[in-house]
Amino acid sequence: MTSGLLRHASLRLTLLIVLAILSAALVAAPADAFAPKPPPLTTPWTNQVSVTNPLPEYPRPQLTRTEWQSLNGVWQFAPTSNLNTPPIGGTLAEEVLVPYPIESALSGIMRHENRMYYKRNFTVPAGWSGRHVQLNFGAVMWQSKVWVNGVLLGTHEGGYDAFSYDITSALRAGSNEIIVGVWAPVDAEDIPSGKQRLNRGGIWYTPSSGIWQTVWLEPTEATWIKRLDTTPNVTAGGLDLAVQASSAGQPVRAQVLSGGQVVGEATGVSGTSFRVPVPNARLWSPDDPFLYDLRVTLGSDSVGGYFGMRSVGKAMIGGFLRPTLNGKFVYQLGTLDQGYWPDGLYTAPTDAALRFDLEQQKSLGFNMVRKHIKVESARWFYWADKLGLMVWQDMPSLVAGRNASATGEARYETELRRMIDNHKQITSIVQWIPFNEGWGEFQAGRIADLVKSLDPTRLVNHNSGSNCCDSDPDPGNGDIIDDHMYVGPGIARAPSSTRVLQLGEYGGLGLHVPGHEWPSGNSFAYEMLPTSDALTSRYVQITSQLPDLINGSGLSGSVYTEPTDVEDEINGFFTYDRQVQKMDFARVRAVHQQVLAAANGTALPTGKLVSFRVTTPNYTNRYLRHIDGVANTEVVDGGSSQGLKQDATFWVRSGLSNGSCFSFESRNFPGQYLRQRDQRVYKEANTGGTFAADATFCARPGLSGGGTSLESAARPGQYLRHRNSEVWIDGDTGGSFRDDSTWNLVPAWWKSGASVSIGQARTFRVTTPGYTNRVLRHRDSLARTDVVDAGSALADRQDATFVVRAGLAESTCYSLESVNFPGQYLRHSNYRLQKATSDGSDTFRRDATFCAQPPLAGGAGNVSLQSINYPSYYVRHASELVYIATVSGPNAWDGGGSYNADATWTDQSGLGG
């Protein structure tokens, strides 16, 4: 009995211990921890996102305070049918990670809701007692209502601008409750929403609804600083500063610092601009993105900030109206940066990710980024300022393809004003773009004037891509003419005396990278390439065309589509997940350096034909030419004679005495060069002695601010210049010297470097060893090579015979008319050569025009035929078929060891008559 009692007591004790352990475990175990959902694609930063303190960096670098409290993290969440009954004191069923859009995987919701509530509790730090407390939102998409402890603080409309509430009167001791109600109609309503669509696909993307930028608290004094409007005034040697405060007319003090040392200070009053001196200012530019620190005090309120000293304008330089940075023309080479992430959509997963995109673009050699119909967080602009990337800032568009209601137009204009007002302090922004391709466009002329009145310190582009799509007629105002051309590059118009010319979009070259694409299965690009090498080669090929547009047509900026893939679009330098570099970045960087060097006049296109255009005002229709062996300038135009055009055309060669400089060989007098003799310039053959140095010129940035100046290798400090139509080598004589010694090296007046006899019937024989019995012919309308000789049937001989005509698209090149099908010409279509009748289009004329060039494989009587609209492509045969092909292009018929021979033809009398 005793042993039984003991045994039961022991069991009872054991049971109690087990129950205690289980009870303790149940008490200690938290509810299921929040975790984001798996995204369709994972970036390198996806797993670095903290669910307790995401995006922990202070969110507003242009206006900083030392004390603040982030409210980012896990909030309660629930969809709702209306925003009139906030769940005060209640509990919401789901959790969401702020500040990631609800459609994103990182939010934990990963679906769209039209209306929703967010809820969380917070406690104000005890050290803030006695001060005001500001509740700040970086951005909420689109309409929000905010309650603190049941008190409605206000309603905000606008998805891209920061806003704040003074919540001091609504606070209570201990825990406080905040509720945010959001309405996000996306494209179901007329609101600025950019590329967000409820039904995503193609160039339209998944929405980014709700809270999508940081939410935070900070203490202030009763009167506090709300914004710093900084306008660098380089001419006046200072910073024009307007301190926006909760009360106007309050005394403020501003200090400018460099390396922690005060370099300038001044006092003023809030709400009114005053100037702070910045002596001997170090100017901000992409090459030297130097930023000054700023310290501003109003009573006991003190904030920090920063700014860069730089000026933005436009000026007639080298015969073209150009944008200027610090008074100089800087070609603006950029990308179409759309700011989307596969894990966070509108919101980068981390600040390091946000910085990464801009760092990569800068390292690729870009100096500008077009922020495409989205307004980023303040930290994105900070990195653009810090890294040195100029920014073209788009206004997020209303819905494309429909006219907005009066309400929609009013919403757009309100948000446009806020975008400009809230970003006046951003150093990197050099251009505002209210509309894109006419999407939601209305009263574009008035809107452009409005933007200019709100910010006269930057250029205004009324509509990027106004040559296409939904665009209304160009109102003719603003500072920019902006064309879009895919694949391009190309332009449809010319700069004017009041408007700069830029290419707002081109490119869009694509590459599939399995495992790194959005899972819709509908990926696309404007042109698809099969391999990374082919993609890189094609990119280099099209980008290498920019210098001709810059120097010949006055192009001042270009935007490539795009830095990363975005959902269905796979035309980035990176895959959408930022995991794979799709091109050879070293080659990309090299071609960018060549473009920028060509734009600043220090790189010339060796091996190409060029003409020298005068840049002196009122003489820009004159070109350097030789006549009777003497160099002069003369008016050259489309109606000029063949001899004049050829005399005004030169081959750019490596310098005869210095390979880093250049020599200029006459196109129609091979072996004769421009050289100086007794300071006058002549065209002469090599006479030995000092000839090589006398015929060598070193390219320098244009002395007048644009184009190229050519310094004599034989007489350093003296430059090629025109004077009373004569051409000399001179030192700086003052007057018009700088203009007279600055030249635009433009596409040649005579585009063929070799000659083919116009009006004659010719046959083009293959020169590739082992195949020289074959000739170019058409059969069943397609071009190919076959064995055809004098003994062949007449039809075959006629198919292999072409009448040489002046080029349909360019009279200094050639078109090949079928001898037995008059009116039909060889043209390329999808790279394949074929015989076709002209449809009267410009495309046909260009596809049927070929410029004769010296034979790539050499040989007397031989010629190579260059496509006029694909300048690096030549007519070549491959496995009997005939294409236009390039050295390292994307197609199977491009490149190869026999390329030069395959693209070289013997020009002989026609076999067919």
Side-chain angles (χ1 to χ4, degrees):
M1 183 72 172
T2 303
S3 62
L5 288 175
L6 289 174
R7 185 167 58 250
H8 283 298
S10 175
L11 288 171
R12 187 164 57 250
L13 179 61
T14 301
L15 179 61
L16 289 173
I17 292 172
V18 169
L19 288 174
I21 292 172
L22 289 174
S23 177
L26 289 173
V27 170
D32 291 342
F34 174 88
K37 293 188 176 178
L41 294 171
T42 301
T43 72
W45 306 274
T46 303
N47 295 326
Q48 296 178 18
V49 172
S50 167
V51 297
T52 58
N53 191 22
L55 297 178
E57 297 79 13
Y58 187 81
R60 192 181 54 202
Q62 293 81 8
L63 182 72
T64 62
R65 288 191 169 88
T66 56
E67 294 180 278
W68 69 292
Q69 178 180 318
S70 175
L71 295 184
N72 291 346
V74 178
W75 293 42
Q76 295 178 23
F77 178 86
T80 184
S81 59
N82 66 76
L83 302 183
N84 301 320
T85 55
I88 298 169
T91 300
L92 305 185
E94 297 179 85
E95 291 182 318
V96 61
L97 186 62
V98 170
Y100 300 99
I102 62 167
E103 295 86 353
S104 72
L106 289 177
S107 74
I109 302 298
M110 211 174 177
R111 69 176 188 273
H112 175 73
E113 297 287 353
N114 285 336
R115 291 176 176 84
M116 66 208 82
Y117 282 118
Y118 293 76
K119 180 180 179 295
R120 71 159 288 167
N121 291 335
F122 66 91
T123 301
V124 176
W128 296 6
S129 177
R131 288 186 282 177
H132 285 237
V133 177
Q134 310 301 322
L135 171 61
N136 304 304
F137 293 85
V140 178
M141 185 65 66
W142 176 76
Q143 182 199 77
S144 64
K145 292 184 176 182
V146 180
W147 294 263
V148 170
N149 296 326
V151 177
L152 177 63
L153 301 176
T155 300
H156 178 83
E157 291 186 348
Y160 299 93
D161 58 299
F163 58 97
S164 302
Y165 297 107
D166 186 334
I167 64 173
T168 310
S169 62
L171 293 174
R172 61 193 178 201
S175 179
N176 292 269
E177 178 190 72
I178 177 174
I179 295 173
V180 180
V182 179
W183 175 45
V186 196
D187 56 320
E189 290 281 337
D190 288 337
I191 64 171
S193 56
K195 285 201 168 186
Q196 301 177 77
R197 291 295 184 271
L198 291 171
N199 295 310
R200 59 151 306 279
I203 66 169
W204 313 111
Y205 311 139
T206 305
S208 290
S209 304
I211 300 171
W212 69 277
Q213 290 186 29
T214 290
V215 185
W216 78 103
L217 301 171
E218 60 188 359
T220 67
E221 305 305 319
T223 302
W224 73 96
I225 298 167
K226 302 177 73 173
R227 194 176 75 217
L228 301 177
D229 291 342
T230 55
T231 304
N233 192 326
V234 173
T235 302
L239 175 73
D240 292 338
L241 173 65
V243 179
Q244 307 300 336
S246 59
S247 178
Q250 301 298 310
V252 293
R253 183 176 189 83
Q255 294 177 312
V256 172
L257 301 94
S258 175
Q261 300 298 311
V262 175
V263 298
E265 55 186 316
T267 57
V269 295
S270 60
T272 302
S273 180
F274 62 99
R275 183 165 298 150
V276 188
V278 186
N280 303 312
R282 180 174 169 182
L283 301 184
W284 182 95
S285 72
D287 290 335
D288 183 21
F290 180 79
L291 298 173
Y292 287 93
D293 292 319
L294 184 62
R295 183 188 302 145
V296 179
T297 57
L298 185 160
S300 55
D301 192 23
S302 179
V303 298
Y306 73 88
F307 66 94
M309 286 293 289
R310 59 101 182 97
S311 65
V312 174
K314 58 184 180 178
M316 193 64 69
I317 296 174
F320 296 115
L321 189 69
R322 300 291 197 181
T324 59
L325 180 69
N326 303 326
K328 298 179 180 179
F329 169 49
V330 177
Y331 185 79
Q332 298 182 15
L333 183 72
T335 66
L336 193 75
D337 189 325
Q338 309 203 63
Y340 278 80
W341 299 82
D343 45 13
L345 298 177
Y346 254 22
T347 307
T350 68
D351 193 62
L354 192 72
R355 176 175 178 166
F356 173 86
D357 272 10
L358 292 175
E359 281 183 323
Q360 291 301 308
Q361 291 173 71
K362 186 68 184 287
S363 70
L364 281 172
F366 291 105
N367 63 10
M368 176 268 290
V369 55
R370 179 182 171 201
K371 178 46 64 176
H372 191 39
I373 55 176
K374 177 193 177 189
V375 184
E376 288 281 5
S377 67
R379 290 200 64 83
W380 185 91
F381 289 103
Y382 168 74
W383 288 123
D385 291 344
K386 185 78 172 175
L387 295 169
L389 283 160
M390 293 179 284
V391 173
W392 297 358
Q393 179 59 54
D394 288 12
M395 172 63 192
S397 63
L398 295 165
V399 178
R402 73 183 187 215
N403 293 325
S405 62
T407 299
E409 292 179 358
R411 289 167 172 166
Y412 170 92
E413 194 165 327
T414 296
E415 291 195 52
L416 174 67
R417 288 174 179 269
R418 287 184 192 152
M419 179 184 77
I420 295 168
D421 284 344
N422 293 339
H423 293 84
K424 287 181 178 179
Q425 72 274 36
I426 303 300
T427 301
S428 52
I429 295 177
V430 298
Q431 183 179 138
W432 300 113
I433 305 177
F435 296 110
N436 175 76
E437 294 184 350
W439 300 347
E441 182 180 11
F442 66 96
Q443 301 177 34
R446 181 183 69 81
I447 294 295
D449 289 342
L450 170 64
V451 173
K452 197 69 173 182
S453 70
L454 294 172
D455 183 6
T457 71
R458 294 176 171 93
L459 301 188
V460 177
N461 174 3
H462 87 279
N463 179 21
S464 182
S466 56
N467 65 315
C468 76
C469 313
D470 296 336
S471 297
D472 293 338
D474 188 338
N477 61 342
D479 301 300
I480 309 291
I481 295 171
D482 184 311
D483 290 339
H484 290 181
M485 189 166 292
Y486 287 102
V487 166
I491 53 174
R493 295 170 290 177
S496 71
S497 61
T498 60
R499 298 201 294 173
V500 168
L501 177 67
Q502 65 190 36
L503 181 58
E505 294 179 28
Y506 84 101
L509 305 177
L511 174 70
H512 284 291
V513 183
H516 298 272
E517 294 182 13
W518 195 252
S520 67
N522 296 314
S523 58
F524 76 96
Y526 292 93
E527 179 179 313
M528 200 69 73
L529 285 303
T531 65
S532 175
D533 184 62
L535 176 65
T536 304
S537 296
R538 181 68 167 131
Y539 179 80
V540 169
Q541 187 263 323
I542 65 172
T543 302
S544 295
Q545 298 176 39
L546 289 174
D548 281 352
L549 297 173
I550 296 167
N551 295 315
S553 302
L555 184 68
S556 291
S558 55
V559 177
Y560 179 79
T561 303
E562 58 196 312
T564 74
D565 297 349
V566 181
E567 297 199 2
D568 289 348
E569 296 185 53
I570 56 170
N571 44 28
F573 291 103
F574 278 92
T575 52
Y576 191 22
D577 56 13
R578 279 73 167 175
Q579 301 275 11
V580 179
Q581 297 180 4
K582 299 173 71 174
M583 298 189 203
D584 181 337
F585 280 14
R587 293 176 63 195
V588 170
R589 187 162 44 249
V591 75
H592 290 165
Q593 291 169 345
Q594 293 168 12
V595 169
L596 293 174
N600 72 20
T602 59
L604 306 185
T606 303
K608 289 186 63 176
L609 292 168
V610 301
S611 292
F612 294 72
R613 187 173 69 85
V614 170
T615 68
T616 307
N618 302 318
Y619 296 93
T620 55
N621 60 345
R622 301 183 71 88
Y623 294 79
L624 187 153
R625 60 83 54 97
H626 57 79
I627 181 171
D628 297 328
V630 182
N632 293 276
T633 66
E634 189 169 336
V635 174
V636 186
D637 57 31
S640 296
S641 68
Q642 173 178 326
L644 177 54
K645 288 180 178 178
Q646 289 183 345
D647 285 351
T649 299
F650 300 86
W651 289 103
V652 179
R653 306 298 190 192
S654 293
L656 296 179
S657 69
N658 181 343
S660 64
C661 297
F662 303 92
S663 294
F664 304 102
E665 182 182 9
S666 168
R667 182 264 175 221
N668 52 335
F669 289 86
Q672 298 192 36
Y673 293 83
L674 291 179
R675 62 85 55 97
Q676 69 85 21
R677 177 161 46 84
D678 298 327
Q679 295 193 278
R680 188 75 191 270
V681 178
Y682 302 87
K683 170 192 66 69
E684 292 182 350
N686 193 339
T687 57
T690 64
F691 181 89
D694 292 342
T696 299
F697 302 86
C698 301
R700 310 297 186 212
L703 295 176
S704 67
T708 297
S709 291
L710 295 164
E711 184 179 15
S712 169
R715 296 175 180 266
Q718 298 195 19
Y719 293 83
L720 186 77
R721 64 87 56 96
H722 63 89
R723 187 174 65 200
N724 297 326
S725 82
E726 299 174 347
V727 180
W728 295 76
I729 298 294
D730 271 348
D732 192 343
T733 56
S736 64
F737 173 83
R738 289 178 173 270
D739 287 324
D740 295 347
S741 59
T742 299
W743 307 83
N744 274 333
L745 269 67
V746 301
W749 271 111
W750 197 267
K751 298 188 184 305
S752 290
S755 297
V756 183
S757 298
I758 289 178
Q760 292 190 12
R762 310 297 291 176
T763 291
F764 296 90
R765 184 170 298 280
V766 170
T767 67
T768 308
Y771 299 93
T772 55
N773 59 343
R774 304 181 73 88
V775 297
L776 172 68
R777 58 87 55 93
H778 60 79
R779 190 171 78 189
D780 299 328
S781 295
L782 295 176
R784 54 179 291 118
T785 65
D786 280 330
V787 175
V788 181
D789 56 28
S792 299
L794 176 61
D796 287 337
R797 287 185 282 120
Q798 289 180 331
D799 287 349
T801 303
F802 302 90
V803 179
V804 179
R805 304 296 186 191
L808 298 179
E810 166 57 54
S811 63
T812 68
C813 297
Y814 304 96
S815 293
L816 302 179
E817 183 181 13
S818 169
V819 74
N820 53 338
F821 289 88
Q824 295 192 36
Y825 295 83
L826 283 186
R827 60 86 57 95
H828 62 82
S829 179
N830 294 325
Y831 301 100
R832 181 80 187 271
L833 252 67
Q834 52 200 266
K835 170 183 64 68
T837 302
S838 174
D839 59 9
S841 69
D842 181 62
T843 297
F844 181 94
R845 288 190 291 271
R846 294 182 66 81
D847 288 348
T849 299
F850 304 91
C851 300
Q853 303 298 357
L856 296 177
N862 293 343
V863 67
S864 290
L865 299 171
Q866 178 187 33
S867 168
I868 194 171
N869 55 344
Y870 286 71
S872 66
Y873 284 68
Y874 288 80
V875 176
R876 73 88 57 97
H877 63 89
S879 301
E880 302 180 358
L881 307 182
V882 181
Y883 305 88
I884 60 166
T886 190
V887 173
S888 55
N891 303 306
W893 53 85
D894 288 323
S898 64
Y899 174 83
N900 285 348
D902 292 349
T904 298
W905 307 84
T906 297
D907 172 22
Q908 64 182 46
S909 296
L911 290 169

